[in-house]
Each structure stands twice: as C-alpha cells, then as structure tokens.
Amino acid sequence: MALSKIRVRRITYREAEQRLDTEPLHLMLHWCQLSRERRRNAGAVFIELPEVAVRYREDEVSITTLPVLESRKLVSESMLLAGAAIGRFGLENRISLPFATQEPPSEIWHEENGLAGMMQRRKSLKRSLIRSVQGAHAGLGLEAYVQATSPMRRYMDLVVHQQLRAYLTGRPGLNAQQLLERVGATGTQSDLIRKAERMSNLHWTLVYLSRNPAWKGEGVVVEIRDGRSTVLIPELGLETALYLSGNVALNDRLALKAKSVDLPNLESRFEVV
C-alpha cells in the first residue's frame, strides 16, 4: 500500500454495463465474481430486494426502480474487496482500525424462495457492530472487514484514511482507546442519520402517493403472522400490512390500489383491487 493520486472519470452504471467485456472492467468483473463465490462458500448471506430511487426536483416527486445490473454488483463487490484488504493490512501492520463485525444469524431462515425468502434472510441478520479489534462479519463472509470507501459520506471511513495516511507517512495515528472514543462519539449520530434518511424517503413516497391518489400496482406477500400479511410493493420500495381473507401464501402477488395517506403520521393504507 502506498500514497498515490488517481484520475477519475465518472460513467453511469448503464455505460459500465455496456463495457463489461472490455478491459479493465472485464478483469475486475472476473475478480469480483471469484470474491463473491469465495464469500458464499464462507457463509455470506446474499439478499436481493427491489431498490428504488426517490427524488424531489422542481416540485415533482419521482420514484424509479433501480435496474439489476452486473455493473452495480461489480462496484459493491469491489468495495468489499477494498475493505477486506485494508483490514488485513491493518492487522499485519498493527494499525488501529474500526472493524465492522457481525455475529452469525440468530436463527436459520426457512428456505423460502422469492421475495419472501429474501425478507426472511434480512430479518435473520444481527446488527453490525464497529469494534477496535478484528472480528468476523458473518453476513459478508469475511474474517476482517473495514469500511473505508466513502470518506466523504461516513466519518469513520475518513478516520480509516487518516490512520492509513499516518502509518504510510511515519506519523503516529490514533491508538485503540482513542479510536474507540471516535466510534462511541459517532455511533449514535450514524444511527440518527440512517433513520433520517429512511424517514425522508418514506415522507416523499407518501407525498408521491398523495399526489397520485389513483395509484395502482402490485404487491408481494412476504410474511404471514396471526392473520396479518406483510406485503412488499416493489415499485414503491414500501411495505404495508393487510388483513387478507381466503387462502394466502408467501410470494402471492396481489393487485393493489392506494386507499389513504396520512402524511403527518407517515402512514399509508392499501387495499386489494
């Protein structure tokens, strides 16, 4: 590892998708596929749920379903490779780093297919914790992992860069106790930021529904408990609870329409068409 400068030229995921058979993306994709398979063999949990982008521009709210592209997987796997490499480098050189760790799932999910199975897998995962000592991340299938690829968005990623730069330039970095103090100071704030992001997306999704009261779409039954069904609406990235009569099974697809929106309380109701 060495200090370096790079020249960046941004391209979109769709542009990258069209170039996956050319270098260097072709070779990077091959490495990422090998990494993904290695993590799978180590027990990594792969969850693929529909993702949407909620945007508000010029007084218009739009909700766009993100396409499933190999280029997106290439980027996410490359980030994991970088985090694993930094974790190993830190251990080999005794650099204090904030390791992201996760215990194995508390229970084995049912081998359900489809979106219901993905939701079961997600619910089985334990909370990820940041520690100053190395520990396995069960969900990722990695023995050592450090988040470091978003220093402009996550403070602890910036701390990782500062620690690496200090080591490479021969300056003293933070010790384990000082690092723990940074982790403690930012942990609650990070939780609040994530919550604010979720609430913001929900708010604008409900604004979209309030402006489109005739909305109709499809929902998928992902959980059934005590007569109540949890239904995922892929094109909105939204979950809703419905009491459904008759025989209902996981992964059943339902035609839905919006019934009401309570924006102050961030609630919405749907009904089967």
Side-chain angles (χ1 to χ4, degrees):
M1 184 177 291
L3 294 176
S4 60
K5 293 183 179 180
I6 61 172
R7 180 177 298 172
V8 177
R9 186 169 69 86
R10 295 184 63 179
I11 61 175
T12 66
Y13 283 112
R14 290 192 180 278
E15 290 173 329
E17 192 78 11
Q18 297 172 355
R19 302 182 188 182
L20 290 180
D21 59 346
T22 63
E23 301 300 348
L25 294 184
H26 182 70
L27 180 58
M28 291 176 63
L29 180 62
H30 175 65
W31 287 343
C32 288
Q33 289 171 338
L34 292 177
S35 172
R36 189 176 175 87
E37 191 60 30
R38 182 171 62 249
R39 291 194 302 110
R40 188 189 305 277
N41 293 335
V45 180
F46 294 94
I47 300 173
E48 296 181 2
L49 289 168
E51 294 185 72
V52 300
V54 183
R55 293 187 174 89
Y56 175 74
R57 292 176 180 171
E58 299 179 355
D59 199 36
E60 290 291 332
V61 183
S62 64
I63 301 178
T64 307
T65 302
L66 299 179
V68 178
L69 300 174
E70 282 297 313
S71 55
R72 290 185 180 275
K73 295 179 181 180
L74 184 152
V75 170
S76 62
E77 195 67 38
S78 295
M79 294 167 70
L80 294 178
L81 278 169
I86 290 171
R88 290 195 301 271
F89 185 81
L91 290 172
E92 292 168 359
N93 295 281
R94 299 183 180 180
I95 305 170
S96 295
L97 293 173
F99 289 90
T101 67
Q102 186 184 64
E103 295 294 325
S106 56
E107 60 183 27
I108 303 299
W109 61 81
H110 300 293
E111 291 299 328
E112 186 66 43
N113 296 318
L115 292 179
M118 292 297 174
M119 294 292 285
Q120 289 176 353
R121 292 187 182 193
R122 189 177 71 175
K123 290 185 67 174
S124 74
L125 295 178
K126 290 188 176 180
R127 180 182 175 86
S128 180
L129 300 175
I130 303 298
R131 296 174 177 167
S132 61
V133 293
Q134 178 267 341
H137 195 296
L140 297 178
L142 295 173
E143 287 301 314
Y145 174 64
V146 175
Q147 287 186 315
T149 54
S150 299
M152 297 179 65
R153 184 169 61 89
R154 290 190 298 249
Y155 173 67
M156 290 311 300
D157 290 38
L158 177 61
V159 171
V160 171
H161 282 245
Q162 293 171 338
Q163 291 290 87
L164 294 174
R165 177 174 286 273
Y167 174 80
L168 293 173
T169 56
R171 295 182 290 107
L174 301 174
N175 59 35
Q177 181 59 39
Q178 292 170 324
L179 186 67
L180 276 177
E181 292 173 358
R182 300 291 179 94
V183 171
T186 60
T188 301
Q189 297 301 318
S190 297
D191 289 342
L192 291 174
I193 291 171
R194 285 191 292 269
K195 181 179 179 180
E197 182 179 8
R198 291 194 302 270
M199 300 294 278
S200 176
N201 283 334
L202 177 57
H203 168 83
W204 290 112
T205 299
L206 298 188
V207 170
Y208 173 84
L209 287 172
S210 66
R211 294 183 178 184
N212 297 271
W215 180 90
K216 292 183 179 180
E218 185 178 74
V220 181
V221 179
V222 293
E223 185 179 47
I224 303 172
R225 180 174 296 181
D226 299 327
R228 188 179 74 166
S229 298
T230 300
V231 178
L232 174 66
I233 306 174
E235 66 181 87
L236 298 178
L238 190 66
E239 294 177 39
T240 188
L242 293 173
Y243 289 93
L244 303 172
S245 59
N247 294 325
V248 180
L250 293 175
N251 291 315
D252 277 358
R253 296 183 176 271
L254 310 172
L256 302 176
K257 67 177 181 179
K259 185 176 182 180
S260 64
V261 174
D262 182 353
L263 195 56
N265 292 310
L266 294 180
E267 295 177 352
S268 59
R269 296 180 64 189
F270 297 82
E271 61 183 3
V272 179
V273 176

